[in-house]
Amino acid sequence: MTTPNGGDLLVATLRALGVDTVFGIVSVHNLPLVEAVDRDLRFVPVRHEASAVNAADAYGRARGTLGCALTSTGTGAGNAAGSLIEALSAGTSVLHITGQIDSEYLGQGRGFIHETKDQLGMLTAVSKYAATVTDAADAARILREAAAAALAVPGGPASVEWPIDLQFAPQDPAALDGTLSETPGNPVATEPSAAELDAAALLAGARRPLVWAGGGVARAGAELSALLDALGAGLLTSNSGRGAVPEDDVRVVGNFASGPTGRALLAEADVMLSVGTHFRSNETADYRLELPAAHVQIDIDPAAPGRVYPATHALTGDAATVLTALTERIIARGAATEPSWGERVREAREQARAALRDGIGPQAAILDALTAALPRRAVIARDVTIPSSSWGNRLLPIHDPRDNVFPRGGGIGQGLGMGIGAALAHPERPTVVIAGDGGLAVHLGELLTLAQERPRLTLVVFNDGGYGVLRNMQDAHFDRRSGVDLATPDFALLARAAGLPYARIASEADAGPVIKEAVDSDGPTLVEVDLTALGPMKNPFTPPVSIPGQNQ
Ligand SMILES: Cc1ncc(C[n+]2csc(CCOP(=O)(O)OP(=O)(O)O)c2C)c(N)n1
Ligand SMILES: [Mg+2]
């Protein structure tokens, strides 16, 4: 065997982490890394570095682990920045390795090809962790440290810049073995104090308790479910909190807090327990949503409780550990919940769903077709488009948090890259991507990645000839449209040019058969929904953002 180099070290690190697929673009500044990954694992050549990070991020989300992206130095690393921001907002685990110029010229401003002013500063700004390899013998430690940082709850992206000469430099085979034995798993949970657990008394005394769960419950679904049982509580979730308790469970009202039914239920509740949530502006009517004053808040971040809504009890710790401790104490005390509360929660669940379904008009046929065609476990990746923001984020059933893939920071254009990453994380399962024509156009090149890798991915493109959500806002609040009407391709010809199967939905009757055939096939399909032919939604969607003086 030839002497191992940085590429072999990266492969050993990724194997130890259980990562078998890596996304990126090859360059003179990452050749040994790409070569080793392509030889020993699977290298997926995406068409933009932003998509490399999106795909790696969703690969990690879909597996409940970490994903890896490889980029070039300079523009390549810069192209990754927007998607690193998404991973930082979402708290998801991405190991981003980028090249760097030869170490002997680093930081000298000689105009070396791809040289960048303060690349580490840029990566530090958009990552949870950023480091430079300055010595080949230290690369193994830095990779381990970066992976540990990305995985530590709450997660985030870790970026490592690695000068090209130090990638080629020989690695001690013993360092590779060490990598296998020392690579981190999940962090150790911290225990809440006994005093904090006084909150259990408040919860046990509640007559009409509600729980609000965010993304922090992703790994605590069983513990959350046990607490709901003990308390007889209903469950509201943020978009991120979906699936920890499967959404076909009647205790789950779901991602409906800020709608009329959610508000009514919140007004009736006397105690609320929130777990691992940001109370993001778009999910709380810019923080004006009214919540019960008696509020127990659990978060791993000690700064989170009380940051948005006052918390009567702040419990810092791992969600699963704290929920279990609370449940034991609630059982010991006995819950005081009104016997009819479970029925009220169930009624709210049905009401919220029926009202939303009615408001989306003919798009309900597509919702029903997807719900019928997908198996219980399938990733549903959503770009930021009206069908996601209105019904996809609420009515498409999520049964496991790993299937709930969407850009939490709200940036368009990331859905297809995410869908490709998720589909390659579970090649045996179908994956669906919901995108708008505008969001898809941001990274149209990824259609070629889709055509090349041929995962079981159904890409449903909702074509309304532009940025519909902004168009709706401008029509409602301004007297002219600006920047919202777009030229869109002939998707049938585009699919043909890329070598992708294509199907069109132009009526409610098309939806069932078209979606079923695409989802059942063993490769990719581009499904275009012609929104002009399908007809308008009953209630046009405008996003939950405020315009001064207009919508309050
Ligand atoms: C990176 C980024 N740029 C701009 C925006 C603003 N934005 C939000 S939704 C949207 C329109 C998306 O259009 P499309 O994908 O066609 O979905 P539609 O609204 O038409 O359903 C835009 C431009 C954004 N969210 N993210
Ligand atoms: Mg559109």
Side-chain angles (χ1 to χ4, degrees):
M1 187 190 150
T2 51
T3 313
N5 65 17
D8 300 294
L9 174 65
L10 178 63
V11 165
T13 305
L14 293 173
R15 281 202 171 125
L17 291 160
V19 174
D20 60 11
T21 305
V22 173
F23 307 86
I25 297 187
V26 66
S27 155
V28 292
H29 286 111
N30 63 20
L31 273 170
L33 307 182
V34 171
E35 188 273 327
V37 167
D38 192 47
R39 182 197 342 122
D40 292 341
L41 305 172
R42 178 175 185 175
F43 180 73
V44 176
V46 295
R47 305 310 198 263
H48 192 287
E49 286 86 357
S51 304
V53 173
N54 287 145
D57 182 341
Y59 172 96
R61 295 187 198 196
R63 289 195 168 191
T65 57
L66 164 150
C68 179
L70 298 181
T71 68
S72 179
T73 186
T75 303
N79 281 350
S83 300
L84 290 169
I85 289 172
E86 163 53 27
L88 194 59
S89 313
T92 45
S93 307
V94 178
L95 179 61
H96 167 225
I97 314 285
T98 187
Q100 184 45 288
I101 63 170
D102 288 86
S103 53
E104 84 172 289
Y105 302 120
L106 206 57
Q108 295 181 12
R110 290 182 182 218
F112 203 91
I113 178 79
H114 294 197
E115 185 176 349
T116 311
K117 174 178 155 282
D118 193 15
Q119 178 167 282
L120 185 64
M122 174 185 73
L123 296 173
T124 302
V126 296
S127 304
K128 180 181 175 191
Y129 168 101
T132 310
V133 176
T134 53
D135 173 0
D138 201 25
R141 181 193 64 80
I142 290 182
L143 289 181
R144 277 199 302 271
E145 197 174 279
L151 283 165
V153 176
S159 290
V160 175
E161 53 166 14
W162 198 341
I164 184 62
D165 56 314
L166 302 181
Q167 294 177 33
F168 277 115
Q171 287 288 334
D172 178 358
L176 272 60
D177 295 345
T179 287
L180 284 171
S181 56
E182 291 171 35
T183 301
N186 288 322
V188 180
T190 49
E191 290 280 343
S193 71
E196 288 174 320
L197 293 171
D198 287 349
L202 176 67
L203 290 165
R207 306 286 293 157
R208 294 172 302 281
L210 282 180
V211 178
W212 176 307
V217 293
R219 293 177 197 178
E223 292 80 2
L224 176 57
S225 186
L227 179 130
L228 294 177
D229 266 348
L231 204 51
L235 179 66
L236 291 165
T237 70
S238 68
N239 203 4
S240 300
R242 301 181 62 197
V245 180
E247 289 186 328
D248 52 0
D249 185 315
V250 293
R251 299 168 302 176
V252 181
V253 179
N255 182 18
F256 285 94
S258 60
T261 311
R263 284 172 195 254
L265 193 67
L266 280 164
E268 288 167 49
D270 59 349
V271 178
M272 192 177 84
L273 167 67
S274 69
V275 196
T277 187
H278 283 89
F279 292 116
R280 290 178 198 260
S281 60
N282 56 324
E283 298 178 329
T284 56
D286 286 352
Y287 317 123
R288 287 189 309 274
L289 182 69
E290 291 198 21
L291 302 184
H295 174 206
V296 178
Q297 185 165 8
I298 303 172
D299 209 286
I300 192 123
D301 174 4
R307 179 157 52 197
V308 178
Y309 285 93
T312 31
H313 293 75
L315 309 192
T316 303
D318 166 72
T321 312
V322 180
L323 285 168
T324 301
L326 284 177
T327 302
E328 282 166 8
R329 284 162 175 79
I330 290 164
I331 291 172
R333 284 176 169 269
T337 309
E338 283 172 5
S340 60
W341 183 237
E343 193 46 44
R344 173 69 186 103
V345 166
R346 191 179 178 138
E347 177 195 71
R349 165 189 166 87
E350 302 305 331
Q351 259 177 14
R353 280 154 204 270
L356 178 55
R357 192 176 190 289
D358 179 58
I360 65 177
Q363 291 186 25
I366 299 166
L367 162 69
D368 292 346
L370 286 166
T371 307
L374 287 171
R376 190 170 170 80
R377 290 295 313 277
V379 168
I380 308 177
R382 285 106 60 201
D383 209 305
V384 184
T385 178
I386 289 172
S388 303
S389 305
S390 56
W391 50 269
N393 290 342
R394 291 176 186 78
L395 293 177
L396 276 173
I398 301 283
H399 301 114
D400 188 292
R402 289 167 291 189
D403 301 337
N404 184 28
V405 172
F406 69 100
R408 285 174 219 190
I412 65 169
Q414 304 183 87
L416 178 54
M418 287 181 165
I420 291 171
L424 295 178
H426 293 292
E428 72 293 352
R429 294 186 198 154
T431 293
V432 167
V433 172
I434 291 177
D437 55 312
L440 189 70
V442 175
H443 288 304
L444 217 46
E446 301 313 334
L447 287 179
L448 303 177
T449 309
L450 188 61
Q452 182 164 345
E453 302 298 324
R454 308 204 84 71
R456 283 192 73 181
L457 188 152
T458 300
L459 168 61
V460 188
V461 184
F462 290 81
N463 184 6
D464 62 358
Y467 297 140
V469 67
L470 278 307
R471 190 193 278 150
N472 284 353
M473 280 184 78
Q474 291 176 2
D475 288 354
H477 301 293
F478 296 80
D479 45 21
R480 65 190 296 273
R481 289 183 180 178
S482 31
V484 293
D485 294 323
L486 303 179
T488 44
D490 178 325
F491 282 102
L493 285 179
L494 184 65
R496 216 173 123 209
L500 287 169
Y502 167 87
R504 179 166 173 265
I505 296 175
S507 70
E508 291 174 58
D510 292 342
V514 164
I515 296 282
K516 180 163 172 43
E517 192 181 337
V519 168
D520 287 351
S521 84
D522 58 7
T525 308
L526 194 165
V527 174
E528 177 187 6
V529 180
D530 182 335
L531 286 170
T532 311
L534 185 71
M537 287 168 71
K538 195 165 151 189
N539 303 331
F541 178 83
T542 50
V545 293
S546 49
I547 294 181
Q550 294 269 340
N551 54 351
Q552 260 89 77

